[in-house]
Amino acid sequence: MRRLLNMSPAIILMAALCATAGAQTPAPPKLSVTAAINMALVQNVDLKSSADSQATAASRLKIAELNTSYSVGSLVNLDHSPARNLTNSSVFSSLTYTGSSGATARADVTPVGNGDERGGVGLTLRQPLIAKKGALSDKGDQILSARSAVRTSDYGLFQTRQSTVIGVIDAYYNAVLEREQVKVEESAMNLAVEVAEATRKREAAGLVTGMEVSRADINVARTKNTLNLQQSTAQGALDSLMISIGSGIGQKPELVDMIPETLPEVPTLEKAQELAAANRTEIRAFDDRIAEQERDLLIRNDEFRPALDAVAHYNTSNSDTGFISGSMFDQARSIVGVELTLPLDQRVIRQNRDTSARSLQLLKEQRTFRLEEIAEQIRNAYRGYAAAKISLDIYSQNLAVAEKGIYLAQRLVDEGEGSNRDILDAQQALTDVQGGMLSARAKLYLACIRLKLAMGDDLTKMGTK
């Protein structure tokens, strides 16, 4: 029913230093669960790391989708021998193109050449005809892999956001629960003090013995200790909430939202499992990985095929030094043909193909197993929901009985037919029921939220845009 936070001073100090270094936004004086979620979605360190990974994947996709690159440069060297002493120099530039279909082109231009260097123009074209075409080409595979990496990072960011939100919701309502438990213990403390004072008056009137006074005083001391521990637990729960938000610990905002009594709609078990299979990002991530691996297997099988490329070369050079002129094209040369490469040694190719095939089969089995795990998560969430609902019903029924027990015990004492032990036992029963009711209500609501999480619902919608 109660959850004690065991945090060492070193951990608390480290968290405080991290919070100070990160200059987080402090929590407002009054903090709602919506505000807590929104703060966490901005400040949570794990979420920032996941967002950075997403940005990196997007940048790599932009790089992969670049088809062209160009460069410029110059060359200067001294050619010295007994027969001559010559300085060579040139200025050159190049432009390359790599298409997603596998086609490549390169243009080289040397506008200036002196010494043995000459100005010139060169052009090379290559088009695969059999192997290494389209998605199976290096460029096509690079682009598709980068796009898959972006989707994977999107899934990862979504899952981190989900984990962040459910962590904040858990921490927020646990803090509310512990705060309300403090009120229950304060009420128990007030009652214990009243019983002790009444017992002393009855002892003075000769109605009870000193044993009952001692018993009442011991109960006061025990209740005070329980209240002190509960107050410490409540502050620890509040610090845990601040950490889940990404804010500094030690703050004491007022939590304005109580544990909701209106529960989210709960679908049938079959519907929940259907929604989970369709919405869970882990399954979509597996589908992407399987598609990636299937393409890798196609690439490995493609390597068994002969490579036949259409190739064209064109180059020309200037017979004179200096800037290029029309005369340089008089020494032009062009070559057009095909290039055939046969993969005779297939030992490495075969091993790579077999490895890729095993990886693909393993991914498919992992996807099936993950679906089973998700189905079990749904069932666990339903069991947790059902158990919490039954507990809440039981405590709700017992609350009136416990409250009546206090009244009856007091009547027995007033009529001289009972002792303060009856009142103390009734008081403890009432405290247990009130605390159990609070805990059951919190567990019931959180069970509904975890069911939504298991179904793949977007929990960030619980915040405001």
Side-chain angles (χ1 to χ4, degrees):
M1 182 177 67
R2 304 173 187 173
R3 187 172 66 185
L4 295 176
L5 285 176
N6 298 318
M7 298 180 64
S8 69
I11 294 176
I12 294 177
L13 177 60
M14 184 179 298
L17 291 175
C18 292
T20 304
Q24 299 93 337
T25 302
K30 294 181 180 294
L31 183 64
S32 66
V33 67
T34 298
I37 290 172
N38 289 332
M39 288 180 66
L41 291 176
V42 174
Q43 296 182 176
N44 186 274
V45 176
D46 292 336
L47 199 53
K48 289 180 179 179
S49 177
S50 187
D52 180 69
S53 298
Q54 184 194 44
T56 300
S59 296
R60 288 174 178 169
L61 174 59
K62 291 180 180 179
I63 294 173
E65 289 178 336
L66 293 175
N67 297 107
T68 59
S69 63
Y70 56 88
S71 62
V72 295
S74 63
L75 167 69
V76 178
N77 61 53
L78 178 63
D79 185 357
H80 177 72
S81 68
R84 66 175 183 173
N85 190 1
L86 183 64
T87 300
N88 303 316
S89 64
S90 65
V91 176
F92 55 86
S93 64
S94 66
L95 173 67
T96 60
Y97 168 83
T98 304
S100 58
S101 65
T104 60
R106 178 184 176 93
D108 296 286
V109 179
T110 305
V112 179
N114 288 303
D116 286 344
E117 300 292 331
R118 293 291 185 271
V121 175
L123 179 64
T124 301
L125 303 175
R126 180 180 291 270
Q127 174 63 55
L129 302 177
I130 298 179
K132 293 289 185 180
K133 291 174 56 179
L136 305 185
S137 67
D138 292 339
K139 186 65 175 180
D141 179 56
Q142 182 184 13
I143 292 174
L144 292 175
S145 294
R147 290 175 181 170
S148 177
V150 169
R151 290 192 297 271
T152 299
S153 66
D154 289 341
Y155 299 148
L157 178 59
F158 178 79
Q159 290 173 7
T160 305
R161 288 166 67 89
Q162 293 283 84
S163 298
T164 300
V165 172
I166 192 64
V168 170
I169 293 173
D170 271 340
Y172 187 95
Y173 287 118
N174 181 60
V176 171
L177 174 62
E178 300 299 348
R179 181 196 65 192
E180 295 303 305
Q181 189 65 45
V182 168
K183 296 178 182 179
V184 171
E185 297 298 342
E186 287 175 342
S187 177
M189 177 66 196
N190 293 334
L191 182 57
V193 171
E194 290 176 4
V195 171
E197 291 176 350
T199 303
R200 286 193 183 89
K201 291 179 181 179
R202 292 173 63 81
E203 181 195 28
L207 299 177
V208 297
T209 66
M211 179 63 71
E212 293 201 17
V213 175
S214 177
R215 184 188 301 129
D217 288 340
I218 292 173
N219 183 63
V220 170
R222 183 174 58 249
T223 309
K224 281 183 178 180
N225 184 60
T226 303
L227 175 60
N228 177 61
L229 292 176
Q230 184 58 43
Q231 289 171 336
S232 176
T233 300
Q235 182 56 53
L238 198 57
D239 286 342
S240 181
L241 171 60
M242 294 299 101
I243 291 174
S244 69
I245 291 174
S247 189
I249 62 174
Q251 303 180 66
K252 297 182 179 180
E254 179 186 351
L255 306 183
V256 298
D257 288 335
M258 294 296 293
I259 299 170
E261 296 187 7
T262 302
L263 302 177
E265 182 180 355
V266 176
T268 63
L269 176 61
E270 293 74 16
K271 183 63 176 178
Q273 291 178 338
E274 179 183 336
L275 291 171
N279 296 336
R280 288 286 288 263
T281 54
E282 302 98 311
I283 301 303
R284 281 180 277 170
F286 265 115
D287 290 338
D288 269 6
R289 291 174 61 189
I290 289 173
E292 281 280 293
Q293 194 60 43
E294 286 175 340
R295 189 174 70 256
D296 182 76
L297 182 57
L298 289 175
I299 291 173
R300 300 308 175 191
N301 285 323
D302 192 56
E303 292 175 350
F304 286 98
R305 307 170 68 191
L308 181 64
D309 297 349
V311 182
H313 299 282
Y314 174 83
N315 63 75
T316 181
S317 62
N318 192 355
S319 58
D320 301 322
T321 61
F323 285 92
I324 58 175
S325 63
S327 62
M328 69 178 295
F329 294 99
D330 294 337
Q331 301 185 32
R333 181 187 181 191
S334 60
I335 301 174
V336 178
V338 293
E339 180 181 301
L340 176 65
T341 303
L342 299 175
L344 298 180
D345 186 355
Q346 299 181 351
R347 292 173 297 176
V348 174
I349 299 174
R350 188 176 297 107
Q351 291 298 323
N352 288 337
R353 187 270 316 274
D354 293 345
T355 300
S356 183
R358 288 195 302 271
S359 297
L360 177 59
Q361 181 60 32
L362 178 60
L363 281 173
K364 290 180 177 179
E365 292 176 1
Q366 288 176 331
R367 183 186 187 277
T368 301
F369 180 71
R370 186 56 182 155
L371 281 172
E372 292 296 323
E373 286 184 323
I374 290 173
E376 179 60 18
Q377 288 177 5
I378 296 291
R379 291 181 177 275
N380 283 336
Y382 261 90
R383 285 192 288 267
Y385 168 79
K389 191 172 186 305
I390 292 173
S391 294
L392 181 58
D393 291 341
I394 292 173
Y395 282 120
S396 298
Q397 294 170 6
N398 289 341
L399 179 61
V401 175
E403 290 174 342
K404 187 176 181 180
I406 289 282
Y407 171 76
L408 293 177
Q410 187 64 56
R411 286 288 303 274
L412 286 173
V413 171
D414 292 342
E415 294 173 3
E417 297 182 4
S419 67
N420 64 352
R421 182 188 296 274
D422 298 318
I423 297 179
L424 298 180
D425 290 344
Q427 170 203 334
Q428 186 60 49
L430 178 61
T431 300
D432 290 344
V433 170
Q434 289 174 331
M437 228 179 129
L438 288 171
S439 180
R441 183 177 292 115
K443 289 180 179 179
L444 181 58
Y445 178 74
L446 292 176
C448 292
I449 299 301
R450 290 192 181 94
L451 179 58
K452 290 169 66 68
L453 177 67
M455 291 189 299
D457 286 2
D458 187 359
L459 298 185
T460 61
K461 293 178 181 179
M462 299 183 70
T464 57
K465 299 290 185 178

